[in-house]
Amino acid sequence: MKTGKYLSQLLTGALLFACLQIQAQQTDYTIKAVPFTQVKFTDQLWTSHIETNRTVTIPASFKRCETTGRVKNFQMAAEKKDKFCTVFPFDDTDIYKTVEGASFSMAVHPDKKLDKYVDSLIEIVGKAQEPDGYLYTARTIDPLNPHAWAGKDRWVNEHDNSHETYNSGHLFEAAAAHFQATGKRNLLNIAYKNADLLVKTFGNDKLHVPPGHEVVEMGLVKLYRISGKKEYLNLAKFFLDQRGQRKYDPKSANPWENGSYWQDNAPVIAQNEAEGHAVRAMYLYSAMADVAALTGDTSYLSAIDKIWSNMTGKKMYVQGSIGSIPSGERFGGDYELPNSTAYNETCAAIGNAMWNQRMFQLHGDSKYMDVLEKTLYNGLISGVGLDGKSFFYTNAMEIKHSFSHSAMERERSGWFECSCCPTNIARFLPSLPGYVYAQSGNSVYVNLFISGSADMTVNSKAVKLVQQNNYPWDGGLLFTVNPASSLDFALKIRIPGWAQNQAIPSELYNYKTRSDSKIQIKINGTPTEYKMEKGYAVLNRNWKKNDRVEVNLPMEVKRVAATDKVVNNIGKVALQRGPLMYCAEWKDNYGLASNIIIPVGAAFTTEFNKELLNGVMTLKAPAIFINVDDAGKKISTEEKKVTIIPYYSWANRGKGEMTVWFPEKIKYVDLLSN
Amino acid sequence: MKTGKYLSQLLTGALLFACLQIQAQQTDYTIKAVPFTQVKFTDQLWTSHIETNRTVTIPASFKRCETTGRVKNFQMAAEKKDKFCTVFPFDDTDIYKTVEGASFSMAVHPDKKLDKYVDSLIEIVGKAQEPDGYLYTARTIDPLNPHAWAGKDRWVNEHDNSHETYNSGHLFEAAAAHFQATGKRNLLNIAYKNADLLVKTFGNDKLHVPPGHEVVEMGLVKLYRISGKKEYLNLAKFFLDQRGQRKYDPKSANPWENGSYWQDNAPVIAQNEAEGHAVRAMYLYSAMADVAALTGDTSYLSAIDKIWSNMTGKKMYVQGSIGSIPSGERFGGDYELPNSTAYNETCAAIGNAMWNQRMFQLHGDSKYMDVLEKTLYNGLISGVGLDGKSFFYTNAMEIKHSFSHSAMERERSGWFECSCCPTNIARFLPSLPGYVYAQSGNSVYVNLFISGSADMTVNSKAVKLVQQNNYPWDGGLLFTVNPASSLDFALKIRIPGWAQNQAIPSELYNYKTRSDSKIQIKINGTPTEYKMEKGYAVLNRNWKKNDRVEVNLPMEVKRVAATDKVVNNIGKVALQRGPLMYCAEWKDNYGLASNIIIPVGAAFTTEFNKELLNGVMTLKAPAIFINVDDAGKKISTEEKKVTIIPYYSWANRGKGEMTVWFPEKIKYVDLLSN
């Protein structure tokens, strides 16, 4: 039976992919993620999200691709007739991204009907491809259609407005996932044909252009890993190096004028700040990590190290979101993290998770996983409602009555005209198991604490690692190590920064509540000494069947303060418990949330409420509420209990006020007449 | 003696200019402004401003042109060596604009020393001009200097970044003023040489480009009026028609991507909204008015009529400022008039005055002068401090402690790196007398109420019109009409909209306080019937020496409300008395201004305080102040007297809170911890 199981696994695309990967290249990340196909979840929080994604989000996403005309665009491109019938030329990618999500999903949850449907879509996609491999329905239908953002000639607007290589990139990512999940080559061949056209078109003595919206670089790397075709990797590198060649006005503060909007203001290896459109930035930095790993080029590495330090040291919200500025969906300046207008695109959070996993694979440091965990449990998953079919494009830090007329999203939407975020969620969630474990030589990394199991091969021996916990609600972690037979290896368990009095990111935030930072680890019930290495508790021993490792992470409520350089958080605290950031919503707090002061010393109690928001740990404390009388001329102060909930779960009960930051005391009031 | 006076006037450039003007063209504005050289001020407010401008602002401005390297740039361009030593390629224009201001000033206040100094500057300017007429010091010194924002070739970056035609435009304006004031041709010849190069370079079968920052069109019109050279007018029209020819993304909301930043998103005759960079817009619309007047082209007229309605109906602050959005110094969308981040560039207010005078000259309607008066007495003159040497680039609507870290200017600066506003003030103020009176055939218009006199010729007969009043503090206006001998003509006195219960602009604002709107006019002490025509009280009679006209404008304090579409003003009022908008400053109000509620019905008293801010009428009323206790946890409500001052006079006593809008009652409070 055991053999049978391994055999059946051998037949999956995942392993096939892994084999091809080894054959294809010499150099790559020394630390490799344990593929998501080897990891099963049994926890409550993520299993529920992934299952909802499978049963609700992905089908709804395909349905919307049909009803909005996205599928029809491919059909019309095939027939070269009618009019492009959606709004954006990159609407093609919603199909690719949903196919990618469906593929990830099918890999662990086979579904013949879905498989057949995906094949039918791939057929439609294939027909829309021009004979030489070009695939961009808006231009194929009508090159002069203004919605194509292209031009009479292909790629002439690529450097700023068209998304021709962007569409290619998502095609490649979807094709890689589809092949990996199903072993089928129907989408992969379409992708290859398109990639070959790019290889033929772009290069040193050919067309030069920086991709207008990065992602093709990541996609090319994935095709390279599958095919071993060096040209794909070279083209990815070529595209990276095209940035910073155009002439802009370096004195201008306007990101479109100085080129930073597109990360085009300097050659990538000379960049040292997280700048411009945040999603573009995340895909760029991810591709730089990939190319650095695959080529050993240290100049990319050195640049993304600096950029990462800038982003996490100066440009990240306390709930892990990035890209603060609505205009241009982009990074602001250092410490420019306003709460009232925080943009925080869901796609940027997803890109940030992708980038941080790559940074971890390059450096083996837990600080990247600390950022990834923070993003994942807060500003990323807040992007989808508990129903799996309502989404945030942006993720607010506060909603006040005074902002009732602002552009900030106060409730989730079914889809968006620009619907990148819902389909990005659809593809990200089923790939999440691939973020939990990693291996490098004799080391096994545990990065996330999600109940379930992972099947690995360590030193050619099968090892099953089982996690049982009630994380993120409880800090007690239990790991059962099950090697096929006893085996020496290092189990490296991430000890989160937050569990050691280190707020994340630690340059921007700090804890006003400090706890004993030494974490006890028991092996088979006996406390054990361990050393810390790059943020991991290293347990190096001869592991035997059913060895039990217990770790207890402290779960007190923490008051988080921001550096004074984030001016609008001075005098305020955010609240954290475990990896979760919390917020107050109007619903639990007498109708408002902007009127709450949580004084220094107010003691919190915790209470798990399984009826609430699919089950959440709520926090309560005595607080001060400021109220305005009905005549609008008197203000009073009242002591009452505040109830706070995990940030990710807000906006699932209608719309109203919400806040992440609470004043501990106030200096002034702003009078709002509306 | 009288003859001698007229003879001496004949020798001034002003009359020479007027004669040339008549000779040069067939068509022009049917309503002509009485030139500023014919108007003398004796009032307190403006005389003091103009005198400070003459004795402080202009000398300080020249001095700064020297100390900052602006003059040196011209010297280096002459010698083609060293490096451009300031920041912006348009820094050249600060010299031109100050020369323009000095010229206006010398025309009414001869000053040999200044005249000689100006000549010495003109000599330096002339040497910097390239042999074929090109004049743009940054490029002449070094075409590849990034500060030149130009390119290896001239004008290649003109369409967006370079300011080559912008510099030409201000050169032309300065040259016209200098010639008009002094009769000298030294600067004029430099301007002609540069204009001839433009004529040679640009045109239908020559170079095509929309000027990157409009003003050259206005400048060319001025040179056309002096020279009669039709090519200048044609080129102005050509430049106007170049807009809207480039390809942008019309779907983009980004003004740089859709071209609206430069008013380049559509042909000018198809534009119908005030859009993009506000100063650029004002200069464009002014030029369109000029060309419409000079060519009789009704398509320009029809476009600027629509644009004017859009701007005054949807995009103007209550104190007359325009250009609400900091990013791009530009117009926002309809009703996008936030108080906390109002940009309101001083230059835009000056441009708005220029444009509205032209609109009045086209239409003869007082509504344009209503807007001009509002801008002039409030959001324009607020741009310069009472000391004449401190300036606002932006003009705030409110300053709160909570914004203490924002980019809004809270105190005036000596100069700015980009110092367009101080030099624009320097050239505008001495030209102000030219905005007061106008003539058309048998009609004499009185548009502004400033004590002093004007010398006109009506039906070939000399008429002196004298104003004696204490405006804007007092509504009693006295006009003495002094024809050389008795004479039939129509005296048209503007009855301001605000004096007839019409807030300005009336589509955006309305009065909650209404007064009897019939204004009594007495001639030689006897009440007289009059009819209203386009906002003017028309007094058509046989005027005799020393005929006295009395008008009494109501001067009660008015509560101004905004349309609910301006969301952040709902439930609030601004306060107006006469043409002046008022504000509360921290200094008179117990340290803050953001904490004041002025309830419905609170009665105002007025008090002229001649020691305060060079003499201002203050308003006082019982109000409600909201205070936070020292511990930051309790809030209380207190009734106290509020003191408010004219908006133009704020920020002359150090920095602190200020507000224009006051809640009448409040709905919520925002708690500020910093």
Side-chain angles (χ1 to χ4, degrees):
Chain A
M1 174 142 165
K2 197 175 263 180
T3 321
K5 192 177 166 202
Y6 282 148
L7 264 177
S8 86
Q9 283 184 348
L10 262 178
L11 295 175
T12 64
L15 275 197
L16 183 59
F17 175 73
C19 295
L20 283 164
Q21 213 173 343
I22 290 157
Q23 171 206 325
Q25 77 240 5
Q26 304 302 316
T27 318
D28 204 336
Y29 293 109
T30 50
I31 302 177
K32 297 216 179 335
V34 174
F36 72 97
T37 45
Q38 306 303 106
V39 180
K40 306 269 170 294
F41 284 176
T42 57
D43 78 313
Q44 212 286 322
L45 183 67
W46 295 110
T47 301
S48 143
H49 270 305
I50 292 170
E51 188 62 7
T52 304
N53 189 65
R54 186 180 75 81
T55 56
V56 179
T57 312
I58 290 174
S61 187
F62 277 133
K63 182 139 196 226
R64 282 165 182 149
C65 283
E66 293 190 12
T67 55
T68 57
R70 280 163 169 79
V71 174
K72 198 177 166 209
N73 282 336
F74 282 90
Q75 289 164 331
M76 288 186 303
E79 299 170 29
K80 286 208 195 308
K81 68 170 195 190
D82 291 339
K83 273 196 166 172
F84 183 72
C85 61
T86 61
V87 176
F88 300 106
F90 53 76
D91 289 337
D92 291 1
T93 63
D94 290 323
I95 294 186
Y96 302 149
K97 283 152 77 184
T98 314
V99 165
E100 186 178 348
S103 301
F104 285 138
S105 178
M106 288 191 289
V108 289
H109 202 289
D111 181 335
K112 277 191 185 162
K113 202 174 139 199
L114 179 60
D115 186 41
K116 203 172 152 189
Y117 175 74
V118 167
D119 279 344
S120 75
L121 279 183
I122 292 172
E123 198 183 328
I124 294 169
V125 169
K127 285 184 179 159
Q129 188 168 35
E130 298 190 20
D132 64 356
Y134 186 79
L135 185 47
Y136 187 77
T137 66
R139 242 198 110 266
T140 299
I141 298 168
D142 175 10
L144 297 181
N145 169 10
H147 290 286
W149 293 2
K152 220 179 134 208
D153 296 315
R154 296 167 174 179
W155 301 293
V156 291
N157 276 2
E158 178 61 39
H159 55 74
D160 41 36
N161 242 346
S162 96
H163 281 59
E164 287 159 281
T165 65
Y166 175 79
N167 286 12
S168 292
H170 275 301
L171 169 66
F172 303 165
E173 298 232 301
H178 184 252
F179 171 67
Q180 181 180 6
T182 65
K184 292 193 209 173
R185 293 183 170 267
N186 45 350
L187 190 56
L188 188 64
N189 286 336
I190 295 171
Y192 281 161
K193 193 169 168 185
N194 185 259
D196 290 339
L197 175 67
L198 297 189
V199 167
K200 226 180 283 174
T201 306
F202 296 95
N204 278 326
D205 41 7
K206 293 175 269 184
L207 198 56
H208 284 238
V209 84
H213 188 318
E214 299 92 329
V215 82
V216 69
E217 306 85 348
M218 292 174 79
L220 283 165
V221 164
K222 289 194 175 161
L223 293 190
Y224 164 64
R225 288 214 179 94
I226 296 174
S227 67
K229 199 166 166 183
K230 195 86 186 179
E231 288 90 335
Y232 296 160
L233 174 61
N234 292 345
L235 183 58
K237 186 173 181 320
F238 174 81
F239 277 144
L240 293 180
D241 294 339
Q242 285 303 296
R243 311 203 89 75
Q245 309 300 328
R246 293 181 74 212
K247 199 183 160 188
Y248 294 95
D249 172 16
K251 291 294 291 186
S252 172
N254 179 316
W256 288 271
E257 289 183 355
N258 65 31
S260 66
Y261 172 76
W262 300 273
Q263 297 82 41
D264 198 18
N265 44 328
V268 290
I269 57 168
Q271 294 188 23
N272 50 27
E273 276 186 54
E275 284 188 294
H277 187 267
V279 181
R280 283 174 164 87
M282 291 305 104
Y283 292 169
L284 170 65
Y285 308 149
S286 296
M288 286 169 71
D290 283 345
V291 173
L294 289 164
T295 63
D297 190 322
T298 55
S299 57
Y300 293 113
L301 194 56
S302 152
I304 51 177
D305 282 352
K306 283 182 211 144
I307 293 168
W308 190 90
S309 293
N310 171 258
M311 181 181 85
T312 57
K314 301 187 172 79
K315 297 185 175 181
M316 195 166 186
Y317 281 96
V318 73
Q319 39 66 293
S321 284
I322 52 167
S324 61
I325 308 297
S327 159
E329 310 185 318
R330 67 188 160 86
F331 284 102
D334 290 347
Y335 311 107
E336 193 181 357
L337 297 165
N339 294 319
S340 59
T341 55
Y343 194 75
N344 291 346
E345 185 176 344
T346 302
C347 283
I350 291 172
N352 196 16
M354 293 173 173
W355 183 34
N356 273 287
Q357 187 182 35
R358 285 162 170 81
M359 294 301 278
F360 156 73
Q361 290 182 270
L362 286 168
H363 292 292
D365 196 307
S366 73
K367 67 181 183 181
Y368 304 106
M369 283 295 160
D370 281 354
V371 170
L372 190 151
E373 183 188 61
K374 160 155 284 197
T375 303
L376 176 66
Y377 278 87
N378 301 288
L380 188 161
I381 201 60
S382 58
V384 56
L386 299 176
D387 62 4
K389 56 185 174 182
S390 58
F391 303 90
F392 274 135
Y393 191 110
T394 62
N395 292 275
M397 297 299 292
E398 65 184 21
I399 299 292
K400 296 184 183 182
H401 274 78
S402 50
F403 301 130
S404 55
H405 301 276
S406 88
M408 297 306 300
E409 285 172 276
R410 285 162 296 144
E411 51 184 349
R412 301 164 201 275
S413 305
W415 244 29
F416 306 90
E417 197 170 66
C418 169
S419 211
C420 50
C421 298
T423 52
N424 234 344
I425 287 274
R427 73 178 184 134
F428 176 78
L429 273 177
S431 77
L432 179 60
Y435 288 79
V436 181
Y437 306 97
Q439 288 180 255
S440 175
N442 213 29
S443 295
V444 170
Y445 292 87
V446 181
N447 279 319
L448 297 175
F449 310 120
I450 302 176
S451 286
S453 62
D455 288 300
M456 294 171 259
T457 305
V458 182
N459 272 347
S460 310
K461 203 176 274 186
V463 175
K464 185 191 266 296
L465 185 57
V466 177
Q467 286 200 55
Q468 287 161 284
N469 60 48
N470 188 27
Y471 196 82
W473 312 120
D474 195 282
L477 307 177
L478 171 63
F479 306 87
T480 308
V481 184
N482 256 321
S485 59
S486 70
L487 176 69
D488 283 328
F489 70 91
L491 182 66
K492 295 185 169 178
I493 299 173
R494 183 175 68 94
I495 305 300
W498 60 258
Q500 302 169 84
N501 294 323
Q502 265 222 321
I504 294 157
S506 62
E507 277 185 72
L508 269 171
Y509 305 105
N510 62 79
Y511 293 136
K512 299 183 79 172
T513 329
R514 303 193 61 85
S515 59
D516 181 5
S517 70
K518 180 66 186 170
I519 305 215
Q520 205 187 56
I521 298 184
K522 291 182 191 170
I523 298 183
N524 299 325
T526 309
T528 185
E529 284 304 302
Y530 60 91
K531 66 173 183 194
M532 290 293 294
E533 243 180 52
K534 290 185 173 183
Y536 292 87
V538 181
L539 307 173
N540 204 341
R541 55 181 261 137
N542 184 266
W543 294 98
K544 303 197 168 54
K545 259 182 203 256
N546 283 321
D547 273 349
R548 291 161 57 92
V549 180
E550 288 166 86
V551 181
N552 229 313
L553 302 178
M555 280 284 171
E556 78 284 353
V557 177
K558 294 184 168 75
R559 285 175 184 255
V560 189
T563 163
D564 278 1
K565 290 172 186 164
V566 183
V567 290
N568 55 340
N569 289 339
I570 295 175
K572 294 181 188 169
V573 286
L575 297 163
Q576 179 174 4
R577 185 177 178 277
L580 296 178
M581 296 307 307
Y582 274 73
C583 70
E585 238 191 342
W586 95 107
K587 188 88 173 177
D588 312 298
N589 293 292
Y590 326 100
L592 296 175
S594 64
N595 63 336
I596 303 168
I597 299 170
I598 301 188
V600 173
F604 282 93
T605 55
T606 58
E607 186 186 313
F608 191 79
N609 186 337
K610 73 175 185 192
E611 304 304 323
L612 187 67
L613 299 162
N614 288 4
V616 291
M617 188 77 75
T618 58
L619 315 182
K620 288 177 201 278
I624 299 168
F625 288 71
I626 307 295
N627 300 310
V628 177
D629 76 334
D630 289 342
K633 292 176 192 168
K634 278 224 170 4
I635 296 181
S636 60
T637 311
E638 195 182 352
E639 281 190 38
K640 287 191 287 200
K641 201 162 261 193
V642 63
T643 300
I644 67 174
I645 58 169
Y647 174 78
Y648 77 76
S649 67
W650 84 279
N652 280 292
R653 296 172 294 171
K655 59 184 173 180
E657 292 198 345
M658 182 277 290
T659 190
V660 172
W661 289 96
F662 301 88
E664 291 192 310
K665 60 180 190 173
I666 59 173
K667 265 177 104 169
Y668 307 102
V669 291
D670 244 9
L671 310 183
L672 307 170
S673 53
N674 181 35
Chain B
M1 178 150 161
K2 199 176 260 180
T3 321
K5 191 178 165 199
Y6 281 149
L7 266 177
S8 85
Q9 282 182 349
L10 261 178
L11 295 174
T12 66
L15 274 197
L16 185 58
F17 174 74
C19 296
L20 282 164
Q21 214 174 342
I22 291 156
Q23 170 205 324
Q25 76 239 4
Q26 305 301 316
T27 318
D28 204 337
Y29 293 109
T30 49
I31 302 177
K32 297 214 183 332
V34 175
F36 71 96
T37 46
Q38 305 303 105
V39 179
K40 306 270 172 291
F41 284 176
T42 57
D43 79 314
Q44 213 286 322
L45 184 67
W46 295 110
T47 301
S48 143
H49 270 305
I50 292 170
E51 188 61 5
T52 304
N53 189 64
R54 187 181 74 81
T55 57
V56 179
T57 312
I58 290 175
S61 187
F62 278 132
K63 183 141 194 223
R64 282 165 183 147
C65 284
E66 294 191 11
T67 55
T68 57
R70 280 162 168 80
V71 174
K72 200 179 165 207
N73 281 335
F74 282 90
Q75 289 164 329
M76 288 185 303
E79 299 169 30
K80 287 209 194 310
K81 68 170 194 189
D82 291 339
K83 274 195 161 168
F84 184 72
C85 60
T86 62
V87 176
F88 300 108
F90 53 77
D91 289 336
D92 292 0
T93 63
D94 289 323
I95 293 186
Y96 303 150
K97 282 152 78 184
T98 315
V99 165
E100 185 178 349
S103 301
F104 285 138
S105 178
M106 286 190 290
V108 289
H109 202 289
D111 181 335
K112 277 190 186 162
K113 203 175 138 197
L114 180 61
D115 187 38
K116 205 171 151 190
Y117 176 75
V118 168
D119 279 343
S120 75
L121 279 183
I122 292 172
E123 198 183 330
I124 293 170
V125 169
K127 285 183 180 162
Q129 188 167 35
E130 298 190 21
D132 65 355
Y134 186 79
L135 185 46
Y136 187 77
T137 66
R139 241 198 111 267
T140 300
I141 298 168
D142 174 11
L144 298 180
N145 170 8
H147 290 285
W149 294 2
K152 223 181 132 207
D153 296 315
R154 295 167 174 178
W155 301 294
V156 291
N157 276 1
E158 179 62 39
H159 55 74
D160 41 34
N161 242 346
S162 96
H163 281 59
E164 286 158 283
T165 65
Y166 175 79
N167 286 13
S168 292
H170 275 301
L171 169 67
F172 303 165
E173 299 232 301
H178 184 252
F179 171 67
Q180 182 181 5
T182 65
K184 292 192 208 174
R185 294 183 168 266
N186 45 350
L187 190 56
L188 188 63
N189 286 336
I190 296 171
Y192 281 161
K193 193 169 169 185
N194 184 259
D196 291 339
L197 175 67
L198 297 189
V199 167
K200 225 179 285 176
T201 306
F202 295 96
N204 278 328
D205 42 7
K206 293 175 270 185
L207 198 57
H208 284 238
V209 84
H213 188 317
E214 300 93 328
V215 82
V216 70
E217 306 85 348
M218 293 174 79
L220 282 165
V221 164
K222 289 193 175 163
L223 292 191
Y224 164 64
R225 287 215 180 93
I226 296 173
S227 66
K229 200 166 167 182
K230 195 88 187 178
E231 289 89 336
Y232 296 159
L233 175 60
N234 292 345
L235 183 58
K237 186 172 182 321
F238 174 80
F239 277 143
L240 292 180
D241 295 338
Q242 284 303 295
R243 312 203 88 75
Q245 309 300 328
R246 294 181 74 211
K247 196 182 162 190
Y248 294 96
D249 171 17
K251 290 292 292 184
S252 172
N254 180 317
W256 287 271
E257 289 185 353
N258 65 32
S260 66
Y261 172 77
W262 300 274
Q263 298 82 40
D264 198 18
N265 45 326
V268 290
I269 58 168
Q271 294 188 24
N272 50 27
E273 275 185 54
E275 283 187 295
H277 188 265
V279 182
R280 282 174 165 86
M282 292 304 104
Y283 292 169
L284 170 65
Y285 309 149
S286 296
M288 287 168 71
D290 283 345
V291 172
L294 288 164
T295 63
D297 189 323
T298 55
S299 56
Y300 292 113
L301 195 56
S302 152
I304 50 178
D305 281 352
K306 283 182 210 144
I307 293 168
W308 191 89
S309 293
N310 171 258
M311 181 181 84
T312 57
K314 301 186 171 81
K315 299 186 175 181
M316 196 165 185
Y317 281 97
V318 74
Q319 39 66 293
S321 284
I322 51 168
S324 62
I325 307 297
S327 159
E329 311 183 318
R330 66 187 160 86
F331 283 103
D334 291 346
Y335 310 108
E336 192 181 359
L337 297 166
N339 294 320
S340 59
T341 55
Y343 195 76
N344 291 346
E345 185 176 343
T346 301
C347 283
I350 291 172
N352 196 17
M354 293 173 173
W355 182 32
N356 273 287
Q357 187 182 35
R358 285 163 170 80
M359 293 302 280
F360 155 74
Q361 290 182 269
L362 286 168
H363 293 291
D365 195 308
S366 74
K367 67 182 181 180
Y368 304 106
M369 283 295 159
D370 281 355
V371 170
L372 190 151
E373 182 188 59
K374 160 155 284 199
T375 303
L376 176 66
Y377 277 87
N378 301 287
L380 188 161
I381 201 58
S382 58
V384 57
L386 298 177
D387 62 3
K389 57 184 175 182
S390 59
F391 303 91
F392 274 136
Y393 191 111
T394 62
N395 293 275
M397 297 299 291
E398 66 185 18
I399 299 291
K400 295 183 182 183
H401 274 78
S402 51
F403 302 130
S404 55
H405 301 275
S406 87
M408 299 304 301
E409 285 173 276
R410 284 162 296 144
E411 50 183 348
R412 300 164 201 274
S413 305
W415 244 28
F416 306 89
E417 198 170 68
C418 169
S419 213
C420 49
C421 299
T423 53
N424 233 344
I425 287 273
R427 73 177 183 137
F428 175 78
L429 273 176
S431 76
L432 179 60
Y435 289 79
V436 181
Y437 305 96
Q439 287 181 256
S440 175
N442 213 27
S443 295
V444 171
Y445 292 87
V446 181
N447 278 319
L448 297 174
F449 309 120
I450 302 176
S451 286
S453 62
D455 287 300
M456 295 171 261
T457 306
V458 182
N459 273 347
S460 310
K461 202 176 275 185
V463 175
K464 185 193 266 298
L465 185 58
V466 177
Q467 286 200 55
Q468 287 161 283
N469 60 48
N470 188 26
Y471 197 82
W473 312 120
D474 196 282
L477 307 177
L478 171 63
F479 306 88
T480 309
V481 184
N482 256 320
S485 58
S486 70
L487 176 67
D488 283 329
F489 68 92
L491 182 66
K492 297 186 170 177
I493 299 173
R494 182 175 69 93
I495 305 299
W498 59 258
Q500 302 170 83
N501 293 324
Q502 264 222 320
I504 295 156
S506 63
E507 277 184 72
L508 269 171
Y509 305 105
N510 62 79
Y511 292 136
K512 299 184 77 171
T513 329
R514 303 194 59 85
S515 58
D516 179 5
S517 70
K518 180 68 186 169
I519 300 194
Q520 205 187 57
I521 297 184
K522 292 182 190 169
I523 297 182
N524 298 325
T526 309
T528 184
E529 284 303 302
Y530 59 91
K531 67 175 182 192
M532 290 293 295
E533 241 179 53
K534 291 187 173 182
Y536 291 86
V538 180
L539 306 174
N540 204 341
R541 56 182 259 140
N542 185 266
W543 294 98
K544 303 200 168 53
K545 256 181 207 257
N546 283 321
D547 273 349
R548 289 160 57 91
V549 180
E550 287 166 88
V551 181
N552 229 314
L553 303 178
M555 282 282 171
E556 78 285 355
V557 177
K558 295 184 167 76
R559 284 176 183 256
V560 189
T563 162
D564 278 1
K565 291 173 186 164
V566 183
V567 290
N568 55 340
N569 288 340
I570 295 175
K572 295 181 188 169
V573 286
L575 297 163
Q576 180 175 4
R577 183 176 179 277
L580 296 178
M581 296 308 305
Y582 274 72
C583 70
E585 238 190 344
W586 95 107
K587 188 87 173 177
D588 313 298
N589 293 291
Y590 325 100
L592 296 175
S594 65
N595 63 333
I596 304 167
I597 298 170
I598 301 188
V600 172
F604 282 93
T605 55
T606 58
E607 185 186 311
F608 191 79
N609 185 338
K610 74 176 185 192
E611 304 304 322
L612 188 67
L613 299 163
N614 288 3
V616 291
M617 189 76 77
T618 59
L619 314 182
K620 288 177 201 277
I624 299 168
F625 288 72
I626 306 296
N627 300 310
V628 178
D629 75 334
D630 289 342
K633 293 176 192 166
K634 278 225 169 8
I635 296 182
S636 61
T637 312
E638 195 182 351
E639 281 190 35
K640 287 191 286 198
K641 200 162 260 191
V642 63
T643 300
I644 67 174
I645 59 169
Y647 173 78
Y648 78 77
S649 68
W650 84 279
N652 280 293
R653 296 172 295 170
K655 59 182 173 178
E657 292 198 345
M658 181 278 289
T659 190
V660 171
W661 290 95
F662 301 88
E664 292 191 312
K665 60 181 189 171
I666 59 174
K667 265 177 105 168
Y668 307 102
V669 291
D670 245 9
L671 310 183
L672 307 171
S673 53
N674 180 36

